[in-house]
Amino acid sequence: MSYSDQGHSGDMYRHAYDPYLQPELFRGVATRRVFAFLIDCLVITVPIVLGYIFIFVFGIITLSLGWMLFWLAWPASVIWAIVYYGACIGGPHSATLGMRVMDLELRTWYGAPGYFVLGAMHAVLFYVSVSFLTPFVVLVGLFNGRRRLLHDIILGTVVINTSVRSPIPQTARP
């Protein structure tokens, strides 16, 4: 067996997931990402709203002294979102709760699972890029086979459809 037969044909930067050889991994990913994002927004927003309500009630109880905590609420919200994405993508499923509900998984371009820093950077880069390039971030995903968005390309990640991993029974053909 030669060196080139072992998969080392000079293409040392080959992607683990090919949309032409494995189209099922990318089927419906763009639509599922939208719904996963909405679910994740809900998961992130509920504790933040509860925190604001707590601070408001605490301010009433303490005769407005507790309202000084409002200046901590926004930085705490940002930290919560970053930790949520980092912990979920760095976890065993390599997916946020919304991504798991929608059968999606984040992987590196070479197939490795996500890790905390990658998940945190994924969230930060997404929100920064959406702030400056709103429609273009989403449009990039419509024009490539892997359905990667701008922040996916920059970070070297790909989101795949995990529902195809479970074997689907095939009917016998006559």
Side-chain angles (χ1 to χ4, degrees):
M1 184 184 286
S2 71
Y3 185 71
S4 62
D5 292 336
Q6 296 174 1
H8 304 286
S9 61
D11 186 13
M12 62 190 304
Y13 300 112
R14 181 183 295 174
H15 281 265
Y17 305 105
D18 189 344
Y20 303 108
L21 296 176
Q22 303 162 313
E24 66 278 357
L25 291 178
F26 302 98
R27 194 169 295 129
V29 166
T31 305
R32 289 174 183 218
R33 283 185 84 165
V34 171
F35 289 110
F37 172 74
L38 294 175
I39 292 168
D40 288 332
C41 282
L42 185 67
V43 170
I44 290 171
T45 303
V46 168
I48 292 171
V49 169
L50 291 175
Y52 274 100
I53 292 171
F54 171 79
I55 292 171
F56 179 75
V57 172
F58 187 64
I60 292 173
I61 293 171
T62 61
L63 303 174
S64 76
L65 288 176
W67 290 338
M68 289 189 285
L69 293 174
F70 273 124
W71 72 273
L72 287 174
W74 188 82
S77 301
V78 172
I79 292 169
W80 160 239
I82 292 170
V83 168
Y84 168 75
Y85 277 98
C88 288
I89 291 176
H93 299 286
S94 288
T96 62
L97 296 176
M99 291 169 71
R100 282 197 269 173
V101 168
M102 298 308 298
D103 289 326
L104 296 173
E105 187 175 332
L106 184 125
R107 293 290 178 158
T108 61
W109 64 270
Y110 51 88
Y115 46 92
F116 183 86
V117 174
L118 181 65
M121 286 305 301
H122 199 265
V124 168
L125 200 55
F126 171 74
Y127 287 111
V128 168
S129 64
V130 164
S131 298
F132 294 110
L133 307 167
T134 299
F136 302 113
V137 173
V138 178
L139 290 176
V140 170
L142 299 176
F143 296 107
N144 64 67
R146 290 183 180 89
R147 301 295 182 238
R148 296 168 75 189
L149 302 180
L150 185 61
H151 59 287
D152 294 326
I153 294 169
I154 293 170
L155 290 173
T157 59
V158 63
V159 176
I160 58 170
N161 180 357
T162 57
S163 64
V164 297
R165 289 187 177 178
S166 58
I168 300 171
Q170 299 273 333
T171 58
R173 294 184 183 167

